Amino acid sequence: MSDAKPASSPPALAGQLAKVWANLPGRGSLAAVNHGTIGLRFMVTGMVFFLIGGVLAMLLRTQLALPEQDIVSAGAYSQLFTMHGSVMMFLFAIPVLEGLAIYLIPKMIGARDLVFPRISAFGYYCYLFGGIIILSSLLLGIAPDSGWFMYTPLSSSEFAPGPGSDFWLLGITFVEVSAMAAGIELTVSILCSRAKGMTLSKMPLFCWYILVMALMIVFGFPPLILASILLELERAAGMPFFTVAAGGDPLLWQHLFWLFGHPEVYIIFLPAAGIVSTLIPVFSGRPIVGYRWVVVAVILTGFISFGLWVHHMFTVGIPQLAQAFFSVASMLVAIPTAIQVFAWLATLWRGKVVFRLPMLWISGFLVIFVCGGLTGVMLALVPFNWQVHDTHFVVAHMHYVLVGGMFFPLIAGLYYWLPLASGRMPSEVIGRWGFWLTFGGFNLTFLLMHLTGLLGMPRRVYTYEAGLGWDGLNLLSSIGGFVMAIGVALVLLDLLLHFWFGRRASANPWQADTLEWALDMPPAQYNFASLPTVSSRHPLWEDPQLAERIAAGQEGLAEANSGLRETYGTSAISAQREKILHLPGNSWWPLYSAMALAVVCISLLSRWYELALLACVLTITLLLRWSWESGGHPSAAPLQPLDPLPPSVPLQQGTGHELPLESRTIDGPGRWGMIVTLLANGALYMSLLFGWFYLWTAAPQWSAPDNGPLPLWLLLLCGLPACIALWLFHRLCQRLAVGDARQLQRRLWLSTGLGLLHCLILLVLLMMAPLDYTGSAHDAVLMVILLYLLGHAGLATVLTALQALRVARGYVSAGLPYEPQVIKPLWFYYLAVYWISVALFFMLPLGWGPQ
């Protein structure tokens, strides 16, 4: 039973909640931040990009259908090939799966929304604008043509002098910001807002898969973001990170790219596997076999995937010992994958399978993905990899893994959850035709490409001579591609038409076990009229009356009297209710901030650096203004003004709730969000550190001066005010935690002044350093790390100054102690990075160099 009694009759409660959670009408819907709206926008936009990528694929297959064709030129083919891979990998696969997770996760964990709704909206607009920037290059005829992996030196200024590579680098980085936002949002939401009783051991498997995927995004995307920044700096500012003559190395790009690229395969696979683990028990009518084994396998997959990147580089000349290690690691990852496959098969074996339309797509997935996994084990063997590297065998394997491992489960999931979003059932007839045409066309296309690859046909060639044994196979592959395209078109037509002509769905039409099926179909914007308590992994199977109690307002937080959007904050492990989270409503700040960031990208593409600088300042200003409406701000948290409370008075006093508001505590999703963001930031920093040591030890013409560019005593002196600022900030946070706000504003201003002094000294050091950053990779890396430190020191200082201003406005006090606790991890992170940088970038080379 619930912790709170219903505050009003269900009709009145539903009306109040609908008013609070409603999107603005008309153009005001652009300000929507609700997870349901944002998740659907991600998915619809991703499907549009998928159609564009599919058209590009059909152009490629048309060109290769017959030998010696000139339907498209070599240059156009390279652009089409690059854009097809980029669109499918960056604009379709990950965003669509993230959109599905954004839409479903709050519904599955018993929450009303994600914990950072504005971040989700900001991520969507970054994704949309970044995708438009990338595709505009194709419309202008200046698309990148170096491959979707953008290997250097092919993508460097010497071999790609036009703006195509810049469109890719800036547009993809823009899109990566969106992916990072979603990763942080999903991680914190799953950990901090689950239904009471939904411990980690009772969490739906889909949530486990999404949690691991989100954490993999947090750690896996920063290497590509860093690589894109470094390559753009080389192209635009002449900083030679990948130029051998200046001490750089083009192989550094491959290392950084595949540090992202191989985990990305599993970032794409895991949500799809989560769909499979969700649907198989439903259509088997029994819980999944080996729940704990599956969870362990998912976590192991996430860990192992980060140690496999070099298996994409077996032919670049790495040492044989490294080849042997990564070959073994590449085969090792098959073990946790096999655990999941056996758990699925055992569940099917022990259950009574009902082959409804979603289950048909799951069956196709099992066949295709197992085949792709077998060819993956073959490619993990170094001698075989050498023989088929850069042939169509690799292309076929990649599509078996990615299309079979992601697209088929995605369609199964869309068919499964479509009644939830529309209240209607899809057509079994059209859906089955779509499946068989897609399944048959896919295998006809890519099974034969294994053969053309074994016969020696290289990838990335736009034509070939007749009589090489590839002619008939390529023609059949192209026919299969068009058959698959017809099947996909039927599926999309079915998904579209069912909104108007589909049969009305009954409540919980699949007899599923998870909380999202306790909602109305389609669900209200607020999801749950009252927030449920669960006691098992299968709440709807073991408590059939739960949906009725939720709708009747008999569970938790059954009220909307505050006029603000509310959900529970729970403990990360045991899922005990600890606080009330007030979530932001409709907001224009995400759109405005993303638009300003888009202007930054477009200005950099056009080489209008002054405008780019102004747009960057505007973006930072908008983000800081956005952050002002949080914490103790009247629009964000307080129900009424509160005087500072002594420690002996419960923090919830005066709030009208049975639990304290987040702003009255010293921990909450905001602090978790800061920590997860800093983990991503740390991954970026570690990637830079990896690049520094790689160039130092492996670049063929690396050179470093005998003496460091900066006196060590100045670096040590520079760190002193920052250390004092951290100590002061940490002390005031400790005092706030026990209700002591004496001299709070004064201490914050003092910390700000010390941070500003540190920034000024760091700026002077940067300006006085004799760095030849356009002629030496060594000096270019040092310039980047100094700019990194200066940016983070400035951010910590500005945020501390804002805290002092918020104390003056009454948004931070003894009764509102939360916000400084959010900022404190940033100071700790920055000081750690500063001293590590001093030691490894400036001191270690001096001690390691020639004596």
Side-chain angles (χ1 to χ4, degrees):
M1 191 51 70
S2 67
D3 292 339
K5 299 298 182 182
S8 56
S9 62
L13 173 62
Q16 293 171 357
L17 288 170
K19 183 178 179 180
V20 170
W21 289 84
N23 295 336
L24 297 176
R27 286 179 294 181
S29 64
L30 296 175
V33 298
N34 180 271
H35 80 98
T37 301
I38 300 301
L40 290 174
R41 287 177 180 175
F42 263 105
M43 287 188 281
V44 171
T45 306
M47 294 307 293
V48 171
F49 286 133
F50 170 73
L51 291 176
I52 295 171
V55 170
L56 299 179
M58 291 302 96
L59 291 173
L60 297 176
R61 284 310 327 169
T62 301
Q63 169 66 18
L64 294 177
L66 297 172
E68 301 176 10
Q69 292 199 102
D70 57 358
I71 297 173
V72 296
S73 65
Y77 185 91
S78 295
Q79 290 188 24
L80 294 173
F81 164 79
T82 301
M83 291 301 294
H84 167 68
S86 299
V87 168
M88 289 303 197
M89 294 294 284
F90 297 105
L91 301 184
F92 165 62
I94 292 178
V96 164
L97 292 170
E98 285 181 335
L100 183 65
I102 288 171
Y103 183 81
L104 285 175
I105 285 300
K107 297 174 170 59
M108 297 186 81
I109 64 175
R112 285 184 174 146
D113 206 337
L114 298 171
V115 294
F116 307 130
R118 292 180 295 185
I119 294 291
S120 301
F122 176 70
Y124 171 73
Y125 287 119
C126 287
Y127 163 53
L128 176 64
F129 296 151
I132 291 172
I133 289 172
I134 295 169
L135 288 177
S136 64
S137 66
L138 187 62
L139 297 176
L140 297 172
I142 51 174
D145 57 3
S146 304
W148 66 272
F149 29 74
M150 294 295 287
Y151 283 170
T152 56
L154 293 178
S155 57
S156 301
S157 298
E158 181 181 358
F159 297 100
S165 295
D166 300 310
F167 272 94
W168 192 96
L169 294 168
L170 292 169
I172 291 299
T173 302
F174 204 174
V175 173
E176 300 299 278
V177 171
S178 166
M180 292 296 297
I184 295 166
E185 170 85 282
L186 291 167
T187 298
V188 180
S189 296
I190 291 172
L191 291 176
C192 297
S193 62
R194 301 193 306 277
K196 181 181 179 180
M198 188 181 284
T199 62
L200 291 180
S201 63
K202 293 185 176 68
M203 195 164 66
L205 274 176
F206 184 78
C207 298
W208 270 110
Y209 280 94
I210 296 301
L211 178 60
V212 174
M213 175 207 76
L215 287 170
M216 289 180 69
I217 289 174
V218 167
F219 291 104
F221 277 42
L224 178 61
I225 294 174
L226 175 68
S228 300
I229 292 171
L230 296 183
L231 183 52
E232 185 58 28
L233 285 174
E234 178 173 291
R235 290 177 57 85
M239 300 173 75
F241 302 103
F242 309 103
T243 304
V244 174
D249 191 346
L251 285 183
L252 175 60
W253 170 271
Q254 290 198 37
H255 280 287
L256 291 175
F257 182 87
W258 290 115
L259 275 169
F260 147 82
H262 196 82
E264 187 200 25
V265 173
Y266 294 94
I267 290 171
I268 293 172
F269 165 69
L270 285 179
I275 295 172
V276 178
S277 294
T278 300
L279 270 62
I280 283 181
V282 172
F283 291 98
S284 299
R286 58 150 293 122
I288 194 164
V289 173
Y291 172 95
R292 289 184 173 86
W293 282 101
V294 173
V295 171
V296 171
V298 173
I299 296 172
L300 284 177
T301 300
F303 273 109
I304 296 174
S305 68
F306 282 95
L308 308 182
W309 82 93
V310 176
H311 89 199
H312 294 272
M313 303 170 59
F314 281 155
T315 62
V316 303
I318 62 174
Q320 290 187 352
L321 181 61
Q323 291 179 349
F325 172 83
F326 286 101
S327 177
V328 172
S330 300
M331 290 183 280
L332 187 64
V333 77
I335 296 175
T337 304
I339 291 174
Q340 296 171 72
V341 172
F342 287 132
W344 297 333
L345 295 177
T347 305
L348 292 171
W349 180 266
R350 297 182 63 180
K352 296 181 179 179
V353 183
V354 179
F355 276 95
R356 302 287 294 274
L357 191 54
M359 194 60 211
L360 189 61
W361 286 88
I362 295 296
S363 303
F365 152 79
L366 290 171
V367 173
I368 293 173
F369 183 73
V370 169
C371 293
L374 292 175
T375 56
V377 173
M378 295 166 65
L379 287 169
L381 302 172
V382 176
F384 183 82
N385 189 293
W386 282 348
Q387 297 302 314
V388 299
H389 184 74
D390 266 349
T391 71
H392 272 216
F393 187 95
V394 177
V395 179
H397 159 72
M398 185 176 69
H399 282 81
Y400 260 81
V401 171
L402 293 180
V403 178
M406 176 268 177
F407 184 74
F408 276 71
L410 174 65
I411 299 302
L414 291 179
Y415 273 124
Y416 175 72
W417 281 297
L418 203 60
L420 179 65
S422 67
R424 297 178 181 272
M425 300 297 291
S427 167
E428 289 278 341
V429 176
I430 300 177
R432 289 178 181 273
W433 271 101
F435 166 78
W436 286 112
L437 288 172
T438 303
F439 182 80
F442 173 86
N443 285 285
L444 183 61
T445 301
F446 296 105
L447 184 62
L448 297 181
M449 285 179 70
H450 287 95
L451 300 179
T452 55
L454 290 173
L455 291 173
M457 183 174 180
R459 62 195 300 194
R460 301 194 291 276
V461 294
Y462 84 106
T463 191
Y464 54 94
E465 296 180 1
L468 297 176
W470 309 337
D471 308 24
L473 293 173
N474 270 306
L475 178 59
L476 289 174
S477 286
S478 295
I479 292 172
F482 281 95
V483 171
M484 179 181 174
I486 294 171
V488 171
L490 279 177
V491 171
L492 296 179
L493 180 65
D494 185 24
L495 296 179
L496 185 64
L497 290 179
H498 108 282
F499 280 90
W500 288 276
F501 304 107
R503 173 174 54 85
R504 287 286 180 183
S506 59
N508 194 2
W510 312 113
Q511 299 304 305
D513 58 324
T514 44
L515 283 177
E516 73 271 24
W517 295 106
L519 302 173
D520 295 333
M521 296 188 297
Q525 293 280 44
Y526 51 84
N527 291 335
F528 300 92
S530 55
L531 298 181
T533 297
V534 300
S535 57
S536 74
R537 296 173 191 157
H538 314 285
L540 297 190
W541 283 352
E542 299 188 15
D543 186 1
Q545 306 304 315
L546 179 60
E548 296 179 9
R549 296 202 307 273
I550 291 172
Q554 296 175 4
E555 295 286 318
L557 207 57
E559 61 180 47
N561 298 329
S562 69
L564 298 174
R565 302 182 179 188
E566 298 175 337
T567 194
Y568 282 122
T570 54
S571 55
I573 305 298
S574 60
Q576 293 299 309
R577 293 171 180 167
E578 295 182 335
K579 57 185 70 71
I580 303 292
L581 308 181
H582 274 177
L583 307 177
N586 300 302
S587 174
W588 291 98
W589 297 118
L591 175 58
Y592 294 157
S593 302
M595 290 174 66
L597 196 55
V599 174
V600 174
C601 290
I602 295 171
S603 302
L604 291 173
L605 282 171
S606 306
R607 300 291 193 263
W608 299 334
Y609 296 122
E610 294 82 3
L611 179 59
L613 181 60
L614 290 174
C616 187
V617 172
L618 176 61
T619 302
I620 295 172
T621 302
L622 289 171
L623 291 172
L624 291 175
R625 177 62 183 85
W626 164 0
S627 71
W628 188 256
E629 296 180 4
S630 60
H633 190 276
S635 68
L639 297 175
Q640 60 188 36
L642 291 178
D643 296 324
L645 300 174
S648 59
V649 179
L651 288 174
Q652 65 265 34
Q653 179 172 315
T655 65
H657 284 294
E658 77 278 11
L659 294 172
L661 301 183
E662 179 187 13
S663 58
R664 275 67 165 172
T665 69
I666 58 172
D667 192 15
R671 187 168 177 272
W672 282 78
M674 173 64 79
I675 292 171
V676 175
T677 302
L678 292 177
L679 290 176
N681 203 337
L684 182 77
Y685 178 79
M686 292 302 294
S687 300
L688 181 59
L689 195 60
F690 168 85
W692 168 255
F693 282 111
Y694 175 81
L695 292 177
W696 188 359
T697 57
Q701 297 191 35
W702 174 263
S703 63
D706 293 337
N707 298 315
L710 293 172
L712 288 179
W713 69 271
L714 279 178
L715 289 169
L716 298 176
L717 180 63
C718 178
L720 182 59
C723 289
I724 299 174
L726 170 61
W727 179 79
L728 285 172
F729 200 92
H730 177 59
R731 287 290 296 158
L732 70 88
C733 287
Q734 286 182 320
R735 292 186 175 187
L736 268 180
V738 296
D740 183 0
R742 290 174 296 174
Q743 298 184 329
L744 177 59
Q745 188 176 20
R746 177 176 173 273
R747 292 173 182 272
L748 285 168
W749 280 123
L750 184 56
S751 296
T752 300
L754 290 167
L756 182 60
L757 176 61
H758 172 75
C759 291
L760 291 175
I761 299 174
L762 198 58
L763 180 61
V764 171
L765 289 173
L766 179 64
M767 297 177 66
M768 67 176 285
L771 296 176
D772 181 17
Y773 57 85
T774 61
S776 165
H778 172 275
D779 288 3
V781 174
L782 291 184
M783 175 61 74
V784 169
I785 191 60
L786 287 172
L787 290 172
Y788 178 90
L789 294 176
L790 183 60
H792 284 72
L795 177 62
T797 301
V798 169
L799 293 180
T800 303
L802 288 177
Q803 287 298 295
L805 294 174
R806 292 174 73 82
V807 171
R809 298 295 295 271
Y811 302 159
V812 178
S813 64
L816 298 166
Y818 178 61
E819 294 183 37
Q821 311 294 338
V822 176
I823 307 299
K824 185 172 71 172
L826 176 60
W827 274 109
F828 275 102
Y829 171 83
Y830 172 68
L831 262 295
V833 164
Y834 178 81
W835 291 115
I836 291 172
S837 300
V838 170
L840 299 183
F841 286 92
F842 295 98
M843 294 179 65
L844 183 62
L846 297 179
W848 200 269
Q851 301 298 319

